Each structure stands twice: as structure tokens, then as C-alpha cells.
Amino acid sequence: MTVITRPEEFNVADLYVAMEPMFGRSLYLKCEGFNFAGSVKLKAALEMIGTAERAGVLRPGTTIVESSSGNLGVALSIVAASCGYGFVCVTDSRCTLGAQRLMRAQGAEVRVVTEPHPERGLLGARLACVEQLCRENDRYVWLDQYSNPANWLAHARTTGPEILKEFPELDVLFVGAGTTGTLMGCARYLREEKPSARIVVIDAEGSVTFGFPPAPRLIPGLGTAVRPALLDRSYVDEVVVVAELDTVRICRTMQRNGFLFGGSTGTVVAGALRWLAEHAPGGDLTAVAIAPDLGERYLDTIYDDEWVTEHFGAGALAPAVAESATTRRQL
């Protein structure tokens, strides 16, 4: 029996889904969504808040403010409510209604930015809003997930060790790139403990993180319009870029098999399958991908036939195959 008194005390760390029955590729998907936040971002939220508390930055009466496309905002709203802090999430129009409702249900204030910054897009507009809020109210504390080392430290302490414990012969790890906190934490840990393991990063088409040209994106989670300050390219072996159409098709194929995962997970799986089709067609590598989130908060987008058809055409409703992901690589 597991008994807890605070929501952040529960997180399933050792659940993996085999992708081979669905896609014919040997790949294990580490499911990070089985906690009360529904995503891997609970780990970063806990580490950043704990670090700020120990430093005396967070005190009774403090309000946390953060920019988020959804998952971290939900995680922070839960931990803030549990710890007695106020929370303001600055997001944008791509944030799903499900994520917004979850945050508000936890007592958070949600501010939705609709006009992009002329050079830095919607993320730049969100960051400008956060900075203005902090200037106007000295009780507001910005955790800044984009440059806060506690973001990656959370995964060096938890996610990386969890994977290596279950897969000591790990050959390749696939990690999605958003703020790059999960990426950098896992990569730093594996560089020390399993240097032979390759780190393959999955990014969304339209993201500028790895120097590709910016383009509009509809699905929140992975990708960014501003290069993350946490990113250290020396820990990255390869980059695979996935088109949002492939994200949708992979998500919906997994759903047809009863697995409802989020958009970030669909992107990671699409990129991992494409890489494996090229580099390990015989399935002779031990490969793990991190699934950042579950799919309930995408019911009005990725899993809505009308939304998908409007944005991607009726062909997006067809089942995906392992080789479908659009890919470009940098070493």
C-alpha cells in the first residue's frame, strides 16, 4: 500500500511501454506522466521550488510566476497549492484548454499571451510579460525554467539514474528538447555513468533550438522560439527534427492501440522510430525514449478529428508507420 499526504509525493518511475508491437521497432518508452501533474515537469517543479526555498527566495506570502506552454504550469500549480504559494502562469494561445483548466482548478492565475514578440515569437512575448509582472510586484518570484540549473539537476538526480537502473546496457536515449532541462540532466548523468550511450535529441520542426529556421507551431511542449540558456551542445550526439503532422499521426496510432499520450511524447516517438529505422534496422540496440506526458489535455486538439483535419488535412487521420518522421540531423 502506498499512502501519501501531499500530491508531489507520488510519481511512477519504472513504467515502460514496448513500442515493437505497434511499430515494429525495438524501443522502450519511459512513461513520465503517472503523477498528479501528468508529466515529467513535476520533477523540475519540485527541484526549482525546493532550491528557491533553501535559498530563502520563496517565503510565506510569495507568489511564483513562470512562463509555460502547459505542462510545467500544471506541475507548478499543484506544488504551489500544496506548499501554500500563489502561482501565476504566463502562457500563450497554443496552451491547451485542458491545461489551462487544470491550472485554474488548482488556484492558479493564468494569463494567455496572444500577440507574438516581433523577433522572439510567442515565447518572447511571454517572457516580457513575466518580467513586467515581477517589476510591478516585489512579492512575485520568477523561477525561470529556461536558465535555472535546478531544472536539469532534477533529472540528473532522478530520470537519468532511473533509466540506467532498468537498462544498464543502454545504447541510445531519445529525449525531446523544450527548455532542455530533461535533456541536459539525463545527458550529464549518462556522460559520467554510461559514456558509451548516445544521446539523440528530438526537436519540433519550426524550433530554433538547434539553429533551424523558425516557423509557426501549433502543438505545445517541445521546441522553442528562443534558444534555451540551459543547452550545452557538447552533450548532444545527434538531432532529429519532426514535423507536427508526424507528431499527430504517431499520437493517434498509439491511441488506436489504447495508449493516450501527449504531443511531446508523439514527437519523441516519431523521431526515435525514424532514427532506429536508419541506424538499427535489425533491432540490435537497447533504445529508450522518454515520454514526457499523457494525452488527456490534448483531447480538443490532437485527438479531435475536426481540429486535425482543419490544420493538417484528412490524411493526418491515417495510421502512422515507423519511417514516417521528417528528419534532419546535426552532429
Side-chain angles (χ1 to χ4, degrees):
M1 177 187 296
T2 300
V3 179
I4 64 173
T5 59
R6 296 162 66 100
E8 63 268 26
E9 294 173 352
F10 175 75
N11 184 61
V12 176
D14 58 356
L15 178 62
Y16 293 79
V17 175
M19 294 284 99
E20 189 165 9
M22 280 181 274
F23 298 106
R25 299 292 173 200
S26 180
L27 175 68
Y28 296 95
L29 191 62
K30 187 181 193 304
C31 300
E32 287 285 348
F34 290 96
N35 54 55
F36 284 95
S39 82
V40 70
K41 292 293 189 176
L42 179 64
K43 293 175 174 178
L46 282 170
E47 189 71 34
M48 290 192 295
I49 286 178
T51 299
E53 287 178 331
R54 290 188 292 273
V57 175
L58 288 180
R59 300 179 298 276
T62 295
T63 293
I64 298 167
V65 60
E66 185 58 83
S67 160
S68 170
S69 61
N71 283 341
L72 182 68
V74 173
L76 284 172
S77 70
I78 289 171
V79 181
S82 175
C83 296
Y85 299 116
F87 175 53
V88 178
C89 180
V90 179
T91 188
D92 61 56
S93 50
R94 293 171 299 183
C95 182
T96 65
L97 291 176
Q100 294 181 44
R101 289 167 179 161
L102 282 169
M103 287 186 275
R104 291 190 174 105
Q106 293 289 345
E109 177 186 346
V110 180
R111 298 201 178 196
V112 182
V113 171
T114 58
E115 294 297 325
H117 185 279
E119 297 175 354
R120 300 189 297 163
L122 286 168
L123 176 56
R126 279 162 36 191
L127 296 178
C129 181
V130 169
E131 292 167 354
Q132 180 179 349
L133 288 172
C134 291
R135 286 194 299 268
E136 293 173 350
N137 195 323
D138 59 9
R139 293 187 299 106
Y140 281 13
V141 171
W142 180 22
L143 296 177
D144 190 5
Q145 63 165 326
Y146 308 98
S147 64
N148 191 332
N151 187 348
W152 67 258
L153 185 60
H155 302 285
R157 290 178 172 173
T158 59
T159 314
E162 289 163 3
I163 292 169
L164 199 58
K165 176 184 176 182
E166 302 297 336
F167 295 90
E169 301 305 317
L170 180 71
D171 291 309
V172 56
L173 177 66
F174 300 97
V175 191
T179 65
T180 69
T182 306
L183 163 64
M184 295 312 304
C186 291
R188 289 172 185 270
Y189 174 80
L190 290 174
R191 179 66 59 87
E192 294 295 325
E193 301 296 330
K194 186 72 173 180
S196 63
R198 293 181 65 81
I199 304 297
V200 177
V201 182
I202 314 299
D203 200 8
E205 193 171 79
S207 168
V208 305
T209 301
F210 293 95
F212 295 119
R217 289 175 289 115
L218 297 170
I219 301 171
L222 301 186
T224 182
V226 180
R227 188 179 186 276
L230 294 177
L231 177 63
D232 184 339
R233 285 289 306 276
S234 68
Y235 288 91
V236 175
D237 293 304
E238 195 164 355
V239 178
V240 178
V241 178
V242 174
E244 288 190 321
L245 170 60
D246 297 308
T247 295
V248 170
R249 296 187 68 193
I250 289 291
C251 280
R252 293 175 71 93
T253 297
M254 290 190 289
Q255 182 274 324
R256 290 184 183 96
N257 288 270
F259 292 100
L260 194 72
F261 285 109
S264 297
T265 297
T267 302
V268 171
V269 172
L273 292 173
R274 184 68 183 93
W275 190 94
L276 290 170
E278 293 182 4
H279 296 273
D284 52 349
L285 294 179
T286 300
V288 174
I290 297 176
D293 55 1
L294 300 179
E296 290 91 340
R297 62 197 62 163
Y298 297 85
L299 293 177
D300 56 347
T301 55
I302 290 173
Y303 296 107
D304 182 85
D305 287 357
E306 291 184 6
W307 185 90
V308 171
T309 301
E310 176 186 352
H311 293 287
F312 299 101
L317 304 178
V321 294
E323 290 77 12
S324 68
T326 301
T327 177
R328 293 176 293 211
R329 295 184 299 279
Q330 286 181 221
L331 298 177

